[in-house]
Amino acid sequence: MALLPAAGAAPAMPFSAKPCGLRRASSPPAAALRLGPLFWPWEKVKVGPLSVSPMGFGTWAWGNQLLWGYQESMDNELQDCFNLALKNGINLFDTADSYGTGRLNGQSERLLGKFILEFDGTIKSPDDVIIATKFAAYPWRLTSGQFVSACKSSLERLQLDRLGIGQLHWSTANYAPLQERALWDGLVEMYEKGLVSAVGVSNYGPKQLLKIHNYLASKGVPLSSAQVQFSLLSMGDDQMELKTVCDSLGIRLIAYSPLGLGMLTGKYDASNLPKGPRSVLFRQILPGLESLLSCLRRIAEKKGKTMSQVAINWCICKGTIPIPGVKTVRHVEENLGALGWRLSSAEISELESAAMAAPKKMVQNVFQTA
C-alpha cells in the first residue's frame, strides 16, 4: 500500500543521522506528485491501531553470544543505539522472550526495559516507543494461560504495563498441530486482557496466516502484523504470496533479516567471512552473489548511498517494515540513511533480476509454515 506523506513532509535530501532535532522543510510543489512512499522516520505507517516508524530495529543480537558475539560490555553502546534511534524518529523495536543465550535468556527484553527507563530524552506517551515482542512456542506452553503468563513475564522484563505488539514467534502446525489452537487462544486472551495493543505472528506462510486470521477474527481480535524473512535473498514465491495475502487482509508485513544476516552489506567475501556459525552459511551462498552485489554496489554509488541502505530501501519500496539488527551506533547511523528517498522502478527491477539469477538463496527458517 503506497502511503503518501502529510502535506508538510520534507523533500528528498541527504539524511543526517545526527540527533540534532529534525525539522520539516517547507513543502515543494512536487511533494504532491510522489509516486510512492518516500519515508522519513517521523512519517508513520499503521500496524493495526499503532503508528510506527517506516523502519524498526531488531534486537536479536542483544544477548546472543553464539551467533552475534554479545558481551555485557556492549550494553553502553547498545543504549547509545537505542537513544540515537528514538531521537531520530524510530519508535519500533522488535525483540523476543527467547532472545539471549543460556543464562542471558530474555536479555534483549531486559535491556530494552532498562533503556526505556533511562532514555535521556522525552517520552511523552506509550506510543513514543512501540515494543513488538515474540513469544516462543515452547513445547511446555500447552495452554492459553501459559501463553498469557509468558506475556506477563515479558512485560516484567520490559518494565511495561502493555506491549505494542504481542507476536506468536512461530507456528507449531508442522510438528504439533494440537498445540496451535491453545497458542492462538493465548493471543486472544492477552489482547482481551489489555496486555497488548495489537497481535501478530512470525514465520507463518500464506495458508496458515489465513487460518489464524480467520480464527482471531471469529473471536473479535484483529491480526495486525506478520513477520517473515524478507530481503533480496528471500523474495521467493512464498514471500510474495504472503505479501499479497497481507495486503488483502490489511495485515502489515514486517521484514526481518532485510540484509540477509549481513550478506547484502558488501562487507564480506569468500576470503573475509564473519566469525561463528554464520560463516558456514556465507561460504555456501556468497560465491553466487557476485551479480547481485555488483548491482547493489552500482546503484549505491549512483545514489550516494551504501549497499545496506539500498537493500533496506528495497524492502520499504515493497511495502514492508524492515527491522535490521543494530549492535553499534554506526549501524544505526547507516540504517537511518535508508529513509527519506526511494529507488526508481527501473532500479527495483534491476535488483530483483539480479537476485533471481543467484544460484542459492537464504535458507528459510526451519519453523516457517506453508
Side-chain angles (χ1 to χ4, degrees):
M1 178 174 64
L3 300 179
L4 294 177
M13 61 183 70
F15 181 73
S16 170
K18 301 300 181 184
C20 55
L22 301 173
R23 291 180 292 180
R24 294 180 183 271
S26 57
S27 298
L33 301 178
R34 290 180 183 170
L35 300 178
L38 185 62
F39 292 122
W40 292 83
W42 59 76
E43 295 184 82
K44 305 305 184 212
V45 297
K46 298 298 289 185
V47 178
L50 303 170
S51 296
V52 308
S53 46
M55 175 181 66
F57 285 143
T59 63
W60 180 18
W62 298 13
N64 189 302
Q65 296 175 315
L66 177 64
L67 194 64
W68 298 106
Y70 167 80
Q71 299 294 330
E72 291 179 74
S73 59
M74 299 176 177
D75 288 356
N76 287 339
E77 182 159 22
L78 294 179
Q79 187 163 17
D80 290 340
C81 289
F82 176 85
N83 291 340
L84 178 60
L86 200 55
K87 288 178 180 179
N88 279 286
I90 301 298
N91 71 341
L92 176 64
F93 298 88
D94 181 78
T95 183
D97 65 357
S98 61
Y99 284 179
T101 50
R103 66 176 181 84
L104 295 172
N105 191 55
Q107 181 76 345
S108 174
E109 291 181 332
R110 280 189 289 270
L111 287 174
L112 278 170
K114 177 178 182 290
F115 297 164
I116 292 170
L117 283 180
E118 298 178 359
F119 178 57
D120 60 3
T122 301
I123 298 177
K124 297 180 180 178
S125 76
D127 289 344
D128 287 347
V129 185
I130 305 295
I131 301 297
T133 200
K134 299 180 289 294
F135 311 113
Y138 292 134
W140 55 86
R141 289 177 177 170
L142 298 173
T143 68
S144 59
Q146 289 172 319
F147 218 47
V148 171
S149 294
C151 178
K152 291 179 179 178
S153 294
S154 287
L155 286 170
E156 289 179 8
R157 286 188 290 271
L158 288 159
Q159 303 181 67
L160 297 174
D161 295 323
R162 177 186 292 184
L163 286 168
I165 311 172
Q167 305 163 99
L168 175 53
H169 204 156
W170 64 82
S171 168
T172 64
N174 288 343
Y175 62 92
L178 295 180
Q179 184 185 6
E180 186 93 337
R181 183 61 59 89
L183 301 178
W184 293 359
D185 285 336
L187 288 178
V188 171
E189 284 190 37
M190 63 182 71
Y191 181 82
E192 291 178 341
K193 291 177 181 292
L195 301 177
V196 300
S197 297
V199 300
V201 294
S202 180
N203 298 309
Y204 267 62
K207 294 177 182 176
Q208 201 67 8
L209 184 70
L210 277 170
K211 291 179 183 178
I212 188 173
H213 170 271
N214 292 339
Y215 182 78
L216 294 179
S218 73
K219 302 291 185 178
V221 178
L223 182 61
S224 296
S225 66
Q227 189 175 143
V228 69
Q229 185 175 189
F230 190 94
S231 73
L232 284 164
L233 291 179
S234 297
M235 48 168 280
D237 292 341
D238 286 346
Q239 280 88 355
M240 294 308 171
E241 183 182 353
L242 181 67
K243 180 63 173 63
T244 299
V245 172
C246 285
D247 290 346
S248 69
L249 298 175
I251 299 169
R252 179 66 67 174
L253 195 148
I254 298 175
Y256 75 75
S257 294
L259 297 175
L261 298 180
M263 268 186 268
L264 297 176
T265 64
K267 299 171 184 175
Y268 302 101
D269 57 38
S271 61
N272 177 34
L273 298 173
K275 298 177 182 178
R278 281 191 298 159
S279 64
V280 177
L281 186 64
F282 277 48
R283 192 173 289 110
Q284 294 173 351
I285 299 177
L286 264 180
L289 296 184
E290 292 92 343
S291 178
L292 174 57
L293 294 178
S294 294
C295 183
L296 275 168
R297 187 174 294 106
R298 184 169 58 255
I299 292 174
E301 290 173 353
K302 182 174 67 174
K303 295 282 191 183
K305 297 293 180 180
T306 68
M307 293 168 66
S308 296
Q309 290 165 352
V310 172
I312 293 171
N313 191 270
W314 176 85
C315 291
I316 294 171
C317 289
K318 302 303 286 187
T320 76
I321 300 176
I323 49 169
V326 291
K327 291 195 302 180
T328 67
V329 168
R330 181 181 58 79
H331 288 159
V332 176
E333 292 174 340
E334 181 173 8
N335 291 343
L336 284 169
L339 299 172
W341 58 281
R342 178 180 172 82
L343 291 163
S344 70
S345 297
E347 289 164 342
I348 292 171
S349 296
E350 187 180 355
L351 285 167
E352 292 176 2
S353 295
M356 287 187 286
K360 291 186 178 180
K361 310 297 189 294
M362 276 294 293
V363 176
Q364 296 305 298
N365 192 300
V366 67
F367 292 115
Q368 180 73 35
T369 62

